[in-house]
Amino acid sequence: MKVSKFGGSSVASAEQLKKVATIIHEDSDRKVIVVSAPGKRTSDDTKVTDLLIKLGEAYVNGQPYQSQLELVLDRFHSILKELDLTDKVITEIKDDFEAVIVSHYSVPFKLEAIKSIGEDSLAKVLSEYLVKIGLNATYLNPKEAGIILSDQPGSAQILDESFDLLYKLHERKEIVVIPGFFGYTKEGKLVTFSRGGSDITGSIVAAGVKADLYENFTDVDSVYCVNPTIVDNPKEITSLTYKEMRELSYAGFSVFHDEALFPAFKAKIPVCIKNTNNPDGLGTIIVSEKEVRGNPVVGIASDTGFLSLYVSKYLMNRELGFGRRLLHILEDENISYEHTPSGIDDLSVIIRESQLPLKKEAKIIKRIQEELEPDLVYTERDLALIMIVGEDMNSTIGVASKATEAFSRANVNLEMINQGSSEVSLMFGVKEEGVERAVRSLYQAFFNEE
């Protein structure tokens, strides 16, 4: 059995949905289908989920929301018309929205339900169209499928009992189409994963049914070894491991939601990224065990929007609990951190800038000065992180040297170097203005030099 997930670009229009139906029809092993909400049809289009978020915000703020609702309805109406389907889904969208408004749930849960309408409605449309072209298919609500989640609106986690419930999908003879992005609590409240969570749904369902393969259909032929907006025509990655993909996703690769692989990884299910517009292409396969490759580096990722909180104190290494107390201050102020490279007398904490606005920064620094009495404390903003990733790096001599030479050739100063404890990645901190030069130089060093 295969689980196939189709992303927003794959279901953005009737034309794309016809391609999806053909893909499903051509392989009888594709028995479980997970779908996103319709994405952008063109670069200046708006995703249906974004329309729904605006709709929810207007409702919560007591503002007129009918125009936003009409935009959603028009989007689905155009899809239904081109597929020659009835407007039954349009009526259901209206009914669903009205049911949310009159429900007794609190505002956060109402917003959750409104956000999910895109995926839910698209799953109904696709299942109806599959039946129209002669396939035995049905829509399946996540509650019926067995997707039971924690009571955390916007960042829900799967509960273990879901996997046994999902395995029962093997008993079904028809193709089931499940909306991604959301599930239900034990009390029956609808909750969503974090944004991009349809990838999480697909991975969870694949793990639950113990699929032979989890296919993730998107709008690219494969994963590239570097961001194609930075490097022209970069090389494709045909195979990589879960660990490598997780590291790359964290550091800026946008093909996969960075939490999405864990259920499949845990169940050791291979994942294949394929292009809806070129389904016969090789794609990229993600596996649990690494394959022998000539190049120790599989990919280069980069992301901006970081800062470094630098704390220095003489004999810090002898002061019991210093690091714990520093991190406790951040925890107490509801700030999560990314990395903590350290020396004997100094410690840096890498934080996303969105976590630490300037007003909160002043409060944090004041607390550190009063509670830890450091010799020096300051922040450095406008940092970017660049990560080179590959499971073979830990057994290859000279990778770090080659990387630092590439930074030197690009005339980019290194603010930080950190090797992950798993030895799958090497991370470098640089000023944002030099990130693209550095990435191009690294690509030249690891992928273009013989």
Side-chain angles (χ1 to χ4, degrees), residues 350-374:
I350 308 301
I351 303 168
R352 291 192 182 270
E353 288 189 329
S354 58
Q355 286 276 318
L356 194 61
L358 289 171
K359 187 175 180 180
K360 184 175 276 191
E361 176 188 314
K363 183 180 179 182
I364 293 293
I365 288 180
K366 184 179 179 185
R367 283 196 60 181
I368 292 172
Q369 289 170 334
E370 292 175 350
E371 298 175 31
L372 301 181
E373 299 179 339

Side-chain angles (χ1 to χ4, degrees), residues 52 96-97 99-100 103-121 124 139 141-144 147-157 179-193 201:
L52 289 165
D96 289 346
F97 182 69
V100 170
S103 71
H104 64 277
Y105 291 130
S106 62
V107 168
F109 288 100
K110 287 186 177 184
L111 291 175
E112 292 283 271
I114 292 170
K115 281 193 297 183
S116 72
I117 288 173
E119 283 80 7
D120 199 46
S121 302
K124 293 173 182 176
Y139 158 83
N141 185 274
K143 183 186 291 184
E144 296 176 77
I147 300 176
I148 311 301
L149 306 181
S150 61
D151 194 341
Q152 298 168 277
S155 58
Q157 302 292 316
F181 187 41
F182 71 97
Y184 291 82
T185 67
K186 289 182 178 180
E187 295 73 32
K189 292 183 287 187
L190 187 154
V191 286
T192 68
F193 297 110
T201 301

Side-chain angles (χ1 to χ4, degrees), residues 73 76-81 84-97 117 120-129 131-132 137-139:
L73 296 176
F76 277 98
H77 179 73
S78 66
I79 291 173
L80 292 165
K81 183 178 180 181
D84 195 24
L85 299 174
T86 68
D87 272 352
K88 182 177 71 170
V89 169
I90 300 294
T91 302
E92 290 177 354
I93 291 174
K94 293 178 181 177
D95 292 344
D96 289 346
F97 182 69
I117 288 173
D120 199 46
S121 302
L122 196 283
K124 293 173 182 176
V125 171
L126 178 59
S127 62
E128 190 176 340
Y129 182 68
V131 171
K132 179 182 174 64
T138 187
Y139 158 83

Side-chain angles (χ1 to χ4, degrees), residues 428-447:
F428 304 90
V430 301
K431 283 293 189 179
E432 288 184 355
E433 58 85 20
V435 64
E436 293 194 1
R437 295 199 312 276
V439 168
R440 292 190 192 101
S441 185
L442 286 165
Y443 179 80
Q444 182 70 25
F446 286 103
F447 292 98

